[in-house]
């Protein structure tokens, strides 16, 4: 399947649009906004999980893969969304959380009742004396083993204790996984995002004396074979289904292996290395300026590494697990338009398939909550307690959460400057960002030179340019201290993308003879005259061959 011409828009259903006045976004709400969505020129909409779930991890704890959680609507609503979106030429991409189930899932309940067939769907293991089977830490803090007294055994949960890891080494589990995917293919779904899918093969269960256990269960030996098998039974039997695997702590080598079409594993992968450049000593819950050189180096090495071995990347800064990029790598107070459009350009014109996360196209920022009561996310709440136990002061913890919490990327879509920003007629499940009076979709659409209209231009550019869709990637200005730059080439021409990541002017020493500007975020640019770039300026320049 052609991937370079696609653009995906991600919706966090809980926060998009509330059609039934309960303060929570729903499926019908998305259907009601299809016209707006189609205006972007997108091809697919990825929806975060809306299946039956106790919602301990906002739907990433699934209790029934075949039913819709009533908070979000009904199967009829989902069928209607698929049909109506298809009328706009948009496919739906569903989120498959297949590494673990909720402990409320009937398989887990049967396992807990002692049914050995279902116990083998999970990892139940004896402890080591008074200790759990291994010393691995859960991604949300604490041990990743939970004790079950009746069996005097522990079960594995790499995430919350209500998210039990499935045992993919069991062929019956793999059959069930294919059944789930096929069920949704039969409903007309055109894409799948596979949650933390490089964790499905646990290589060995042993204590980790170098880290927190990751190396024993990340990119395990059978990830490729198991996904290939899943694909052969389901999505790879069709040529119009797009897949993307979310890869935790992965490598370029693994991602090229997963996405090289010859291996028939996945279409694309998400990796997160570029989103750790503001971690101090590799630790998320810290405050640090982002390391620009590291960011550039990661972009360059992933782009060239993936292309060398015919891999394909998903391009993104924002998603439901990340703070908003405009607040993180840009300047959401002094240069919101310039930094949002610069960031969009920096990523959209790379080689791969770009993703837009709801609200990004109108410049939604971090929500800067001031008290812990405003937070909802399980990871943020767990780490709040952990940081307190570490003796970190309350105001410091809040400052860290304001920069790092996943709730920053989950606040309700800002539709207009009215009640609850037009998201709901009642109090929303998570507070609306205070800046909704100025940052909202209505204002963005009505202003000719808004972030929204810039995104549309960027997407339109990709759609009509084979060079952007398929051209090669080449790093430029690798040692520049404030500008990230690259070239895309094919037999027809060359495209240069220049992005000034800072709120200060910058000079670029680069030969731009015969190039003309085809897109930029300043009304006029002096880059062709004196090689100067303005604050957070971005320019895209094209030179045609012959
Ligand atoms: C990754 C998802 O993106 C995240 O939101 C979730 O909490 C974990 N996987 C566990 O499913």
């Amino acid at each position: 399947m052609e991937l370079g011409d696609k653009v995906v828009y991600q919706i966090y259903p809980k926060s998009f649009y509330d059609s039934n006045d309960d303060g929570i976004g729903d499926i019908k709400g998305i259907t009601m906004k299809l016209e707006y969505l189609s205006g972007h020129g997108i091809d697919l909409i990825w929806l975060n999980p809306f299946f039956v779930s106790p919602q301990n991890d906002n739907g990433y704890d699934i209790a029934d893969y075949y039913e819709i959680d009533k908070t979000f609507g009904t199967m009829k609503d989902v069928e209607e969304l698929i049909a109506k979106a298809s009328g706009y030429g948009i496919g739906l991409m569903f989120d498959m959380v297949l590494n673990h189930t909720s402990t409320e899932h009937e398989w887990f309940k049967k396992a807990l009742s002692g049914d050995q067939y279902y116990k083998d769907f999970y990892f139940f293991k004896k402890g080591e004396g008074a200790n759990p089977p291994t010393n691995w830490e859960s991604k949300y803090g604490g041990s990743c083993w939970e004790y079950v007294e009746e069996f005097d055994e522990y079960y594995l949960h790499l995430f919350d204790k209500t998210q039990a890891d499935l045992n993919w080494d069991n062929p019956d589990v793999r059959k069930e996984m294919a059944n789930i995917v096929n069920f949704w293919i039969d409903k007309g779904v055109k894409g799948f995002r596979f949650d933390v899918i490089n964790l499905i093969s646990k290589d060995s269960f042993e204590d980790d004396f170098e880290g927190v256990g990751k190396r024993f269960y990340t990119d395990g030996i059978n990830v490729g074979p198991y996904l290939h098998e899943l694909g052969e039974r389901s999505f790879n039997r069709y040529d119009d289904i797009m897949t993307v695997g979310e890869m935790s702590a992965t490598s370029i080598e693994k991602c090229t292996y997963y996405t090289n079409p010859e291996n028939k594993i996945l279409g694309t992968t998400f990796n997160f290395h570029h989103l750790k450049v503001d971690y101090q000593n590799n630790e998320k819950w810290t405050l640090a300026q982002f390391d620009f050189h590291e960011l550039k180096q990661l972009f360059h090495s992933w782009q060239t590494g993936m292309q060398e071995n015919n891999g394909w990347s998903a391009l993104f800064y924002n998603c439901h697990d990340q703070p908003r990029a405009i607040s993180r790598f840009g300047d959401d107070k002094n240069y919101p338009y310039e930094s949002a459009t610069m960031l969009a350009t920096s990523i959209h014109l790379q080689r791969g398939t770009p993703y837009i996360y709801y609200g990004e196209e109108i410049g939604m920022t971090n929500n800067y909550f001031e008290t812990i009561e405003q937070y909802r996310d399980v990871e943020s709440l767990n780490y709040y307690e952990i940081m307190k136990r570490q003796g970190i002061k309350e105001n410091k913890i809040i400052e860290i959460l304001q920069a790092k919490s996943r709730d920053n990327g989950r606040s309700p879509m800002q539709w207009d400057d009215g009640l609850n920003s037009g998201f709901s007629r009642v109090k929303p499940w998570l507070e609306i960002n205070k800046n909704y009076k100025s940052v909202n979709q209505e204002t963005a659409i009505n202003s000719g030179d808004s972030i929204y209209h810039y995104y549309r231009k960027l997407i339109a550019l990709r759609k009509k340019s084979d060079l952007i869709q398929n051209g090669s990637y080449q790093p430029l200005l690798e040692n520049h201290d404030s500008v990230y730059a690259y070239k895309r080439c094919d037999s027809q021409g060359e495209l240069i993308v220049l992005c000034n990541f800072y709120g200060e002017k910058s000079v670029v020493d680069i030969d731009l003879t015969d190039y003309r500007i085809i897109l930029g975020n300043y009304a006029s640019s002096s880059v062709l005259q004196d090689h100067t770039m303005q604050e957070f300026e971005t320019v895209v320049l094209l030179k045609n061959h012959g």
Side-chain angles (χ1 to χ4, degrees):
M1 157 184 227
E2 185 59 51
L3 292 167
D5 62 349
K6 305 282 180 300
V7 178
V8 186
Y9 186 96
Q10 181 192 352
I11 290 182
Y12 200 62
K14 216 171 168 176
S15 296
F16 199 60
Y17 185 64
D18 173 18
S19 74
N20 63 346
D21 301 336
D22 61 0
I24 301 175
D26 44 54
I27 301 293
K28 269 201 164 117
I30 299 168
T31 309
M32 287 163 76
K33 298 291 183 184
L34 275 173
E35 197 167 328
Y36 166 66
L37 290 164
S38 78
H40 295 74
I42 52 163
D43 302 279
L44 284 134
I45 299 174
W46 156 25
L47 300 179
N48 292 95
F50 44 76
F51 311 101
V52 173
S53 158
Q55 301 288 327
N56 289 330
D57 188 14
N58 281 2
Y60 282 93
D61 45 331
I62 297 179
D64 186 344
Y65 293 92
Y66 297 97
E67 281 298 337
I68 313 306
D69 197 293
K70 55 182 184 320
T71 326
F72 296 107
T74 62
M75 186 64 87
K76 209 172 133 265
D77 296 340
V78 170
E79 287 163 354
E80 187 186 37
L81 173 61
I82 295 173
K84 290 211 166 139
S86 157
Y88 284 98
I90 298 176
L92 266 301
M93 174 185 272
F94 280 10
D95 209 322
M96 297 285 105
V97 189
L98 307 183
N99 174 68
H100 43 265
T101 70
S102 162
T103 48
E104 297 287 307
H105 194 288
E106 63 158 349
W107 299 334
F108 193 80
K109 287 194 195 152
K110 285 186 180 156
L112 273 194
S113 74
D115 183 334
Q116 192 56 44
Y117 179 80
Y118 287 105
K119 270 187 90 181
D120 289 341
F121 270 42
Y122 299 91
F123 294 101
F124 280 89
K125 295 212 179 287
K126 288 281 177 215
E128 289 292 322
N131 296 323
T134 67
N135 64 353
W136 304 352
E137 278 176 28
S138 136
K139 308 260 182 194
Y140 297 158
S143 168
C144 63
W145 294 100
E146 183 71 8
Y147 185 61
V148 182
E149 207 176 333
E150 294 86 312
F151 307 145
D152 186 26
E153 282 175 342
Y154 296 76
Y155 68 85
L156 177 71
H157 61 89
L158 295 180
F159 293 87
D160 189 52
K161 66 174 185 225
T162 61
Q163 294 164 294
D165 277 59
L166 281 164
N167 175 9
W168 277 65
D169 299 329
N170 178 344
D172 292 331
V173 167
R174 303 205 297 275
K175 266 189 216 139
E176 293 284 0
M177 301 293 106
N179 291 344
I180 294 166
V181 175
N182 280 325
F183 175 83
W184 291 109
I185 291 177
D186 292 344
K187 292 266 178 210
V189 172
K190 292 292 175 214
F192 295 98
R193 179 255 186 197
F194 294 103
D195 189 60
V196 290
I197 205 66
N198 65 332
L199 307 186
I200 57 172
S201 163
K202 280 81 178 166
D203 280 348
S204 72
F205 290 89
E206 49 191 289
D207 278 342
D208 192 349
F209 298 108
E210 287 170 28
V212 289
K214 277 186 199 173
R215 64 205 173 99
F216 296 114
Y217 59 74
T218 304
D219 285 320
I221 189 102
N222 284 316
V223 173
Y226 289 165
L227 283 176
H228 173 77
E229 180 191 282
L230 177 69
E232 292 303 292
R233 287 172 166 167
S234 58
F235 52 82
N236 279 340
R237 294 192 288 130
Y238 306 83
D239 57 13
D240 63 344
I241 293 188
M242 181 167 157
T243 54
V244 56
E246 186 203 26
M247 302 294 166
S248 167
T250 188
S251 64
I252 298 175
E253 194 195 350
K254 285 290 180 182
C255 286
T256 47
Y257 158 64
Y258 296 139
T259 60
N260 183 324
E262 278 170 25
N263 300 332
K264 294 203 175 110
I265 297 177
L266 289 173
T268 58
T269 50
F270 287 118
N271 89 81
F272 296 87
H273 294 279
H274 63 295
L275 298 172
K276 294 184 178 165
V277 296
D278 54 359
Y279 288 14
Q280 209 177 67
N281 303 327
N282 242 343
E283 176 45 56
K284 168 170 173 172
W285 300 96
T286 51
L287 288 176
Q289 280 294 319
F290 77 97
D291 183 332
F292 177 61
H293 281 286
E294 195 188 350
L295 181 72
K296 276 173 51 153
Q297 193 273 329
L298 283 163
F299 279 153
H300 290 326
S301 57
W302 273 83
Q303 282 284 300
T304 51
M306 290 294 272
Q307 104 183 332
E308 268 159 32
N309 293 303
N310 206 14
W312 198 257
S313 305
L315 310 171
F316 74 108
Y317 282 114
N318 294 293
C319 74
H320 62 291
D321 291 331
Q322 298 293 329
R324 295 272 179 185
I326 183 176
S327 307
R328 191 174 182 184
F329 304 117
D331 182 340
D332 61 8
K333 302 206 171 48
N334 302 307
Y335 294 99
Y337 171 79
E338 292 79 1
S339 55
T341 49
M342 182 281 291
L343 288 167
T345 315
S346 71
I347 202 109
H348 268 247
L349 301 181
Q350 290 182 9
R351 177 179 171 277
T353 302
Y355 282 68
I356 302 167
Y357 183 55
Y358 83 95
E360 173 185 331
E361 78 282 16
I362 57 165
M364 279 176 61
T365 70
N366 279 358
N367 41 34
Y368 300 108
F369 289 153
E370 281 157 11
T371 65
I372 190 64
E373 288 69 35
Q374 292 169 289
Y375 288 90
R376 298 285 173 273
D377 167 37
V378 59
E379 184 197 34
S380 307
L381 299 175
N382 283 355
Y383 271 95
Y384 171 79
E385 294 300 336
I386 292 172
M387 288 189 275
K388 278 208 106 150
R389 283 201 296 274
Q390 289 168 348
I392 303 176
K393 295 226 168 63
E394 179 80 15
N395 56 358
K396 180 84 181 173
I397 299 180
I398 296 295
E399 217 185 310
I400 295 176
L401 289 171
Q402 285 179 345
K404 299 294 169 78
S405 169
R406 303 194 295 185
D407 279 339
N408 284 305
R410 297 179 177 182
S411 55
M413 175 72 175
Q414 293 161 217
W415 291 104
D416 58 38
D417 63 2
L419 175 71
N420 297 322
S421 195
F423 163 72
S424 173
R425 279 177 289 200
V426 301
K427 191 169 172 237
W429 73 278
L430 186 67
E431 277 176 41
I432 307 272
N433 193 315
K434 284 198 200 115
N435 64 16
Y436 75 95
K437 292 268 175 204
S438 55
V439 178
N440 62 66
Q441 179 258 3
E442 199 173 75
T443 309
I445 284 208
N446 293 335
S447 133
D449 53 3
S450 63
I451 300 170
Y452 170 76
H453 289 291
Y454 188 92
Y455 265 79
R456 292 188 56 199
K457 285 188 209 154
L458 207 46
I459 296 168
L461 198 58
R462 170 173 287 266
K463 293 284 170 190
K464 64 173 196 225
S465 164
D466 194 51
L467 170 56
I468 296 172
Q469 293 173 21
N470 294 308
S472 65
Y473 176 100
Q474 197 183 305
L476 291 177
L477 303 175
E478 283 176 82
N479 298 320
H480 200 290
D481 288 331
S482 50
V483 173
Y484 165 55
Y486 56 93
K487 201 185 236 192
R488 302 288 312 278
C489 305
D490 70 5
S491 56
Q492 305 291 305
E494 291 178 18
L495 189 86
I496 286 184
V497 181
L498 299 174
C499 304
N500 178 7
F501 265 70
Y502 290 91
E504 283 133 38
K505 295 192 190 345
S506 194
V507 173
V508 285
D509 181 14
I510 188 169
D511 182 7
L512 296 174
T513 322
D514 296 336
Y515 279 91
R516 65 192 163 88
I517 296 180
I518 56 165
L519 185 67
N521 62 352
Y522 273 74
S524 71
S525 173
S526 58
V527 79
L528 287 175
Q529 283 76 54
D530 59 10
H531 287 206
T532 304
M533 295 188 75
Q534 305 302 308
E535 295 81 356
F536 290 105
E537 182 176 355
T538 186
V539 230
V540 183
L541 304 107
L542 181 68
K543 173 167 93 175
N544 289 319
H545 291 320

